[in-house]
Amino acid sequence: MAAEKPLPLYMNVAAGAIAGVTEILVCYPLDVIKTRFQLQVSGAENAYKSLGDAFSKIIKQEGVGALYRGIVPPIMVEAPKRAIKFTANEEYTRFFKPHVQDAQVLSILTGMSAGFTESVVVVSPDLIKIRLQDKRNAGMYSGTADCVAKIWAQEGFAGFWKGVEATAYRHIFWNAGYFGCIQYVRSVLPKAESKEGKMLNNFVAGSIGGTVGTILNTPFDVVKSRVQGQIAAPYKYNWSFPAIATIAREEGFGALYKGFVPKVLRLGPGGGILLVTFDVVTTFMRKNFL
C-alpha cells in the first residue's frame, strides 16, 4: 500500500473529535454503570450485584434516561479530549523520537505524556459527570448548569479540581497501555493488503490496547470516583495511593476493580471504535481535501 499523506494539525484535531463523540454516544450507558459500581461501598444495602442487575435496577427504578444522566459534560469535553489524545501523542512523538530509538518504548513514553496533558482538560467535566451520575445525588441537581453553580457556591474554584492527581494517574496508565500495546499488536498482526484488512487490524489493536489500558488504570479510576463523589468534609479519600490502601484494607483488593466489567466492555471495544472511526474520517479527508 502507498504511503499516506500526512494530515495538517487541524484535520487531526477534527478527526479525533469526531471519533471521540462517536465512541461516547455508543458506549455512555456503560460509563454510568461503571461509576455506580465504583461509588458503592462493599456491603451497601441494595448494591448492584452484576452488570445485568445494575441495568435492570436503574431502568426499573429511575427510567432509561438515567443511563444517559450526566452526558452533557463528557460530550462537551470529548471533542477536545480525544483531539488532544491523538494530536498530543503525535507532538510528543516528534519531541521524543530523536532521543528514543526503540519504537515500543517511544509509544509508551509518548502515550504517558499525552495522558498527563489530557487529564488536565478532563478533570472538571469528569467531576460534574460523577456528581450527576451518583444515585445519592438524585434530585440534588436539575441539570448540568445547576450542578456547576452549586459546586461553585459550596466548594469554590478548588472544588472543580478535586481528584486531579487520580485523574492524571488514570490517564497516564491508560495511555501508556493503549498506545504501547497498539504499536506492538499492529507489528505482530498480518500486514493488511486492503482497506478492509487495515480497518480490521486497527479494530483488533484498539480493542486490545483499550483492554490492557483498563487493567492498568482501573484502581486509579475507582479512587478518582470516590474522591470526586465526596461533597462535604471530612473527606475519607484524598491522595491516590493512600486511598488505594484504604479501599484494599477495608473492602479487599477486588474493590479496586469495581466497575471493571462495564469499563472494559466500553474501553476495549471503544478503543477499536475510536481507531476505526479515526481511520475512516482521516481517509475521507485525504481523499477529498488534500
Side-chain angles (χ1 to χ4, degrees):
M1 297 184 345
E4 294 178 332
K5 299 178 183 178
L7 289 175
L9 181 62
Y10 75 92
M11 286 191 179
N12 270 317
V13 169
I18 293 169
V21 171
T22 301
E23 186 271 341
I24 198 173
L25 290 173
V26 173
C27 301
Y28 188 76
L30 289 168
D31 188 70
V32 174
I33 301 293
K34 176 211 74 172
T35 301
R36 294 289 183 90
F37 271 111
Q38 291 179 341
L39 289 173
Q40 73 178 18
V41 178
S42 298
E45 188 178 353
N46 296 321
Y48 304 120
K49 298 178 178 64
S50 66
L51 182 64
D53 181 55
F55 268 110
S56 176
K57 284 180 177 176
I58 290 173
I59 293 172
K60 183 177 180 180
Q61 298 170 6
E62 305 171 59
V64 175
L67 294 173
Y68 286 89
R69 187 176 294 158
I71 196 173
V72 174
I75 282 287
M76 291 178 67
V77 78
E78 193 72 10
K81 182 183 82 170
R82 296 301 183 183
I84 287 168
K85 179 186 289 293
F86 284 100
T87 57
N89 190 67
E90 299 234 355
E91 294 303 313
Y92 281 120
T93 298
R94 291 193 186 99
F95 176 78
F96 287 118
K97 196 169 185 178
H99 314 288
V100 180
Q101 304 304 315
D102 186 276
Q104 187 73 6
V105 174
L106 179 64
S107 293
I108 294 171
L109 188 59
T110 55
M112 292 175 72
S113 301
F116 176 79
T117 303
E118 180 187 357
S119 69
V120 177
V121 177
V122 305
V123 60
S124 297
D126 257 21
L127 182 140
I128 298 164
K129 180 197 73 172
I130 294 290
R131 297 290 177 86
L132 290 167
Q133 289 179 337
D134 192 345
K135 185 179 180 180
R136 297 170 299 180
N137 298 339
M140 184 181 295
Y141 309 113
S142 60
T144 301
D146 184 51
C147 182
V148 171
K150 286 179 177 174
I151 292 172
W152 178 266
Q154 297 166 8
E155 303 169 60
F157 177 76
F160 291 99
W161 293 90
K162 284 181 179 176
V164 65
E165 180 227 17
T167 303
Y169 280 126
R170 181 185 74 162
H171 286 270
I172 287 169
F173 278 90
W174 196 85
N175 279 18
Y178 180 74
F179 285 108
C181 197
I182 62 173
Q183 174 77 17
Y184 174 75
V185 174
R186 280 171 168 166
S187 71
V188 299
L189 286 172
K191 185 176 180 180
E193 301 295 340
S194 65
K195 180 180 176 181
E196 291 75 17
K198 181 182 176 184
M199 189 176 296
L200 177 61
N201 281 4
N202 278 340
F203 187 84
V204 171
S207 296
I208 294 174
T211 302
V212 171
T214 301
I215 293 170
L216 293 176
N217 89 335
T218 295
F220 297 103
D221 196 30
V222 172
V223 169
K224 185 192 81 70
S225 293
R226 297 285 181 95
V227 170
Q228 293 185 326
Q230 299 174 130
I231 295 177
Y235 301 122
K236 183 175 183 178
Y237 310 104
N238 291 293
W239 301 103
S240 293
F241 289 99
I244 285 174
T246 297
I247 294 169
R249 183 177 65 252
E250 295 181 355
E251 304 174 54
F253 180 81
L256 296 172
Y257 281 86
K258 283 187 173 181
F260 178 79
V261 172
K263 183 175 168 69
V264 80
L265 284 176
R266 180 192 177 187
L267 295 179
I273 291 170
L274 275 171
L275 275 177
V276 170
T277 307
F278 187 77
D279 181 67
V280 169
V281 174
T282 53
T283 299
F284 175 82
M285 288 176 171
R286 286 189 180 93
K287 181 178 179 182
N288 293 276
F289 301 114
L290 291 184

